Amino acid sequence: MTRVPATLPPPYTVSGTPAGTLRTTADDFTHTSEILIGTGSKTIRFLLHTSLLTQQSPYFRAALTGPFLESTTHSLSFDSIDVSTFELLVTWLYTSAIPPPFKDGKPAYYTLLHLYILADRFCFEALRNYIVDMTADLADQTNSVLTPSDTRILYNDINEGSTIKELVLDLFAFKKTDKLLASHADQWHAKFLRDLCDTLFYAAVLGGDEGV
């Protein structure tokens, strides 16, 4: 038997079962899988209900029910995943929600971006959508946007054409952040600035701005 690959290719598919919904058969509560996060003495062991993983993630469905060694052992190991990020994924898996992330009274968008990267890796489509919605809500409730370092995570580690990139560009365009861009001491990601210029241009054209 071979081991499951680190990632699975698109298309991403889901079962349609809402995250956090209680299952109705006994098997849903009696079968668990071992997920090991980290390496060496810092490895953290998670025992999670297999059905929650397989119904929400094509990656785990293939790993735990397909022709891989892990489908026999029901044990998977990931040494490069941050434990705190995986804990957020587990919280969402069991409750359909996570607490809005803040640091020093400000939204910690980078936490949501790291969780989005993990959700994308394991094909948790519902979690990706949840993170996009939470990002939009946080920006609206706190009248804030991502920081320059956040844009570097967004453009260096998240796939091109992702919904969360489109959202961030719309947020910056809608909130009229030109002064923030000009005055911020840190460096914004160059492609983010180019994409934002394109977004502003097309928005002006569609809006009939004669000054463009």
Side-chain angles (χ1 to χ4, degrees), residues 4-131:
V4 66
T7 59
L8 292 178
Y12 302 145
T13 58
V14 294
S15 66
T17 304
T21 301
L22 291 177
R23 314 305 185 228
T24 57
T25 65
D27 285 348
D28 290 325
F29 300 99
T30 57
H31 293 76
T32 60
S33 295
E34 177 186 63
I35 310 296
L36 302 173
I37 304 297
T39 57
S41 61
K42 295 183 179 180
T43 298
I44 303 297
R45 180 173 180 254
F46 293 84
L47 282 178
L48 306 176
H49 288 99
T50 305
S51 64
L52 289 181
L53 293 167
T54 58
Q55 291 186 45
Q56 293 298 324
S57 163
Y59 177 93
F60 283 109
R61 190 180 312 136
L64 298 171
T65 65
F68 301 106
L69 177 63
E70 288 83 355
S71 66
T72 301
T73 63
H74 276 258
S75 178
L76 293 93
S77 180
F78 304 97
D79 56 13
S80 62
I81 293 176
D82 178 72
V83 172
S84 61
T85 303
F86 191 77
E87 287 174 341
L88 286 175
L89 187 151
V90 173
T91 297
W92 171 85
L93 191 64
Y94 279 89
T95 68
S96 287
I98 61 170
F102 283 86
K103 183 177 180 180
D104 299 329
K106 298 180 180 179
Y109 290 110
Y110 59 86
T111 298
L112 293 177
L113 294 177
H114 287 306
L115 184 57
Y116 188 96
I117 293 167
L118 189 58
D120 199 46
R121 173 177 176 177
F122 292 141
C123 310
F124 281 99
E125 183 177 357
L127 178 54
R128 289 200 302 260
N129 294 337
Y130 178 86
I131 293 168

Side-chain angles (χ1 to χ4, degrees), residues 195-209 212:
D195 287 349
L196 181 57
C197 288
D198 289 341
T199 300
L200 291 169
F201 175 79
Y202 287 117
V205 169
L206 292 175
D209 191 337
V212 175

